[in-house]
mmCIF file of all heavy atoms in Angstrom:
data_model
loop_
_atom_site.group_PDB
_atom_site.id
_atom_site.type_symbol
_atom_site.label_atom_id
_atom_site.label_comp_id
_atom_site.label_asym_id
_atom_site.label_seq_id
_atom_site.Cartn_x
_atom_site.Cartn_y
_atom_site.Cartn_z
ATOM 1 N N ARG A 82 79.198 95.242 90.595
ATOM 2 C CA ARG A 82 78.397 96.315 90.030
ATOM 3 C C ARG A 82 79.222 97.571 89.764
ATOM 4 O O ARG A 82 78.811 98.433 88.995
ATOM 5 C CB ARG A 82 77.253 96.651 90.980
ATOM 6 C CG ARG A 82 76.263 95.499 91.168
ATOM 7 C CD ARG A 82 75.469 95.240 89.894
ATOM 8 N NE ARG A 82 74.883 96.479 89.397
ATOM 9 C CZ ARG A 82 73.805 97.064 89.922
ATOM 10 N NH1 ARG A 82 73.166 96.505 90.932
ATOM 11 N NH2 ARG A 82 73.341 98.195 89.417
ATOM 12 N N TYR A 83 80.363 97.658 90.433
ATOM 13 C CA TYR A 83 81.216 98.831 90.287
ATOM 14 C C TYR A 83 82.662 98.385 90.493
ATOM 15 O O TYR A 83 82.959 97.595 91.395
ATOM 16 C CB TYR A 83 80.857 99.900 91.319
ATOM 17 C CG TYR A 83 81.782 101.099 91.309
ATOM 18 C CD1 TYR A 83 81.580 102.148 90.416
ATOM 19 C CD2 TYR A 83 82.864 101.170 92.175
ATOM 20 C CE1 TYR A 83 82.441 103.244 90.400
ATOM 21 C CE2 TYR A 83 83.723 102.253 92.165
ATOM 22 C CZ TYR A 83 83.507 103.291 91.270
ATOM 23 O OH TYR A 83 84.361 104.366 91.247
ATOM 24 N N GLN A 121 79.528 99.745 86.263
ATOM 25 C CA GLN A 121 80.316 100.955 86.054
ATOM 26 C C GLN A 121 81.763 100.672 86.415
ATOM 27 O O GLN A 121 82.049 100.037 87.443
ATOM 28 C CB GLN A 121 79.806 102.121 86.903
ATOM 29 C CG GLN A 121 80.575 103.413 86.641
ATOM 30 C CD GLN A 121 79.983 104.623 87.332
ATOM 31 O OE1 GLN A 121 78.793 104.669 87.608
ATOM 32 N NE2 GLN A 121 80.820 105.608 87.618
ATOM 33 N N VAL A 301 81.514 99.643 98.789
ATOM 34 C CA VAL A 301 80.779 100.723 98.124
ATOM 35 C C VAL A 301 81.115 102.072 98.744
ATOM 36 O O VAL A 301 81.416 103.051 98.048
ATOM 37 C CB VAL A 301 79.261 100.450 98.180
ATOM 38 C CG1 VAL A 301 78.480 101.656 97.654
ATOM 39 C CG2 VAL A 301 78.914 99.201 97.372
ATOM 40 N N SER A 304 84.496 103.496 97.867
ATOM 41 C CA SER A 304 84.742 103.731 96.446
ATOM 42 C C SER A 304 84.676 105.216 96.117
ATOM 43 O O SER A 304 84.233 106.048 96.923
ATOM 44 C CB SER A 304 83.706 102.980 95.606
ATOM 45 O OG SER A 304 82.455 103.664 95.612
ATOM 46 N N PHE A 305 85.093 105.520 94.892
ATOM 47 C CA PHE A 305 84.974 106.874 94.355
ATOM 48 C C PHE A 305 83.772 106.986 93.426
ATOM 49 O O PHE A 305 83.718 107.876 92.574
ATOM 50 C CB PHE A 305 86.256 107.273 93.644
ATOM 51 C CG PHE A 305 87.479 107.221 94.531
ATOM 52 C CD1 PHE A 305 88.650 106.608 94.090
ATOM 53 C CD2 PHE A 305 87.458 107.770 95.796
ATOM 54 C CE1 PHE A 305 89.773 106.547 94.899
ATOM 55 C CE2 PHE A 305 88.576 107.724 96.624
ATOM 56 C CZ PHE A 305 89.736 107.107 96.179
ATOM 57 N N ALA A 306 82.818 106.082 93.589
ATOM 58 C CA ALA A 306 81.571 106.166 92.830
ATOM 59 C C ALA A 306 80.785 107.403 93.256
ATOM 60 O O ALA A 306 80.961 107.919 94.366
ATOM 61 C CB ALA A 306 80.734 104.913 93.057
ATOM 62 N N SER A 307 79.905 107.850 92.385
ATOM 63 C CA SER A 307 79.089 109.017 92.702
ATOM 64 C C SER A 307 78.187 108.721 93.894
ATOM 65 O O SER A 307 77.835 107.557 94.153
ATOM 66 C CB SER A 307 78.224 109.398 91.504
ATOM 67 O OG SER A 307 77.236 108.382 91.284
ATOM 68 N N PRO A 308 77.793 109.751 94.652
ATOM 69 C CA PRO A 308 76.877 109.519 95.773
ATOM 70 C C PRO A 308 75.603 108.807 95.351
ATOM 71 O O PRO A 308 75.089 107.951 96.086
ATOM 72 C CB PRO A 308 76.586 110.932 96.289
ATOM 73 C CG PRO A 308 77.798 111.723 95.907
ATOM 74 C CD PRO A 308 78.232 111.166 94.578
ATOM 75 N N GLY A 309 75.081 109.131 94.166
ATOM 76 C CA GLY A 309 73.865 108.489 93.703
ATOM 77 C C GLY A 309 74.046 106.999 93.483
ATOM 78 O O GLY A 309 73.192 106.188 93.869
ATOM 79 N N LEU A 310 75.156 106.614 92.842
ATOM 80 C CA LEU A 310 75.411 105.191 92.612
ATOM 81 C C LEU A 310 75.682 104.486 93.930
ATOM 82 O O LEU A 310 75.212 103.352 94.148
ATOM 83 C CB LEU A 310 76.587 105.009 91.657
ATOM 84 C CG LEU A 310 76.959 103.552 91.338
ATOM 85 C CD1 LEU A 310 75.771 102.799 90.753
ATOM 86 C CD2 LEU A 310 78.164 103.493 90.401
ATOM 87 N N GLN A 311 76.407 105.126 94.834
ATOM 88 C CA GLN A 311 76.640 104.510 96.134
ATOM 89 C C GLN A 311 75.321 104.226 96.850
ATOM 90 O O GLN A 311 75.117 103.141 97.402
ATOM 91 C CB GLN A 311 77.521 105.410 96.997
ATOM 92 C CG GLN A 311 78.975 105.448 96.580
ATOM 93 C CD GLN A 311 79.874 106.004 97.674
ATOM 94 O OE1 GLN A 311 79.541 105.937 98.857
ATOM 95 N NE2 GLN A 311 81.016 106.549 97.292
ATOM 96 N N ALA A 312 74.422 105.191 96.843
ATOM 97 C CA ALA A 312 73.132 105.001 97.514
ATOM 98 C C ALA A 312 72.346 103.862 96.871
ATOM 99 O O ALA A 312 71.709 103.046 97.572
ATOM 100 C CB ALA A 312 72.330 106.297 97.478
ATOM 101 N N GLN A 313 72.369 103.788 95.552
ATOM 102 C CA GLN A 313 71.666 102.719 94.842
ATOM 103 C C GLN A 313 72.221 101.353 95.220
ATOM 104 O O GLN A 313 71.464 100.411 95.504
ATOM 105 C CB GLN A 313 71.781 102.931 93.339
ATOM 106 C CG GLN A 313 71.165 101.812 92.503
ATOM 107 C CD GLN A 313 71.444 101.997 91.020
ATOM 108 O OE1 GLN A 313 71.694 103.100 90.553
ATOM 109 N NE2 GLN A 313 71.408 100.911 90.270
ATOM 110 N N LEU A 314 73.546 101.231 95.232
ATOM 111 C CA LEU A 314 74.162 99.944 95.546
ATOM 112 C C LEU A 314 73.938 99.558 97.009
ATOM 113 O O LEU A 314 73.716 98.378 97.316
ATOM 114 C CB LEU A 314 75.656 99.982 95.220
ATOM 115 C CG LEU A 314 76.001 100.126 93.740
ATOM 116 C CD1 LEU A 314 77.517 100.194 93.546
ATOM 117 C CD2 LEU A 314 75.418 98.975 92.927
ATOM 118 N N GLN A 315 73.987 100.528 97.894
ATOM 119 C CA GLN A 315 73.714 100.214 99.302
ATOM 120 C C GLN A 315 72.288 99.693 99.474
ATOM 121 O O GLN A 315 72.038 98.743 100.233
ATOM 122 C CB GLN A 315 73.938 101.459 100.181
ATOM 123 C CG GLN A 315 75.351 102.003 100.190
ATOM 124 C CD GLN A 315 76.359 101.147 100.953
ATOM 125 O OE1 GLN A 315 76.084 99.988 101.276
ATOM 126 N NE2 GLN A 315 77.534 101.691 101.214
ATOM 127 N N ALA A 316 71.342 100.281 98.755
ATOM 128 C CA ALA A 316 69.962 99.819 98.838
ATOM 129 C C ALA A 316 69.841 98.396 98.279
ATOM 130 O O ALA A 316 69.079 97.558 98.801
ATOM 131 C CB ALA A 316 69.034 100.773 98.081
ATOM 132 N N GLU A 317 70.577 98.113 97.205
ATOM 133 C CA GLU A 317 70.526 96.774 96.622
ATOM 134 C C GLU A 317 71.174 95.731 97.544
ATOM 135 O O GLU A 317 70.736 94.581 97.590
ATOM 136 C CB GLU A 317 71.201 96.784 95.248
ATOM 137 C CG GLU A 317 70.433 97.574 94.220
ATOM 138 C CD GLU A 317 71.137 97.643 92.875
ATOM 139 O OE1 GLU A 317 72.186 96.962 92.697
ATOM 140 O OE2 GLU A 317 70.655 98.374 91.991
#
Side-chain angles (χ1 to χ4, degrees):
R82 296 291 309 283
Y83 175 84
Q121 183 173 334
V301 173
S304 77
F305 302 133
S307 68
L310 180 57
Q311 287 197 25
Q313 176 186 336
L314 294 178
Q315 298 288 14
E317 292 177 7

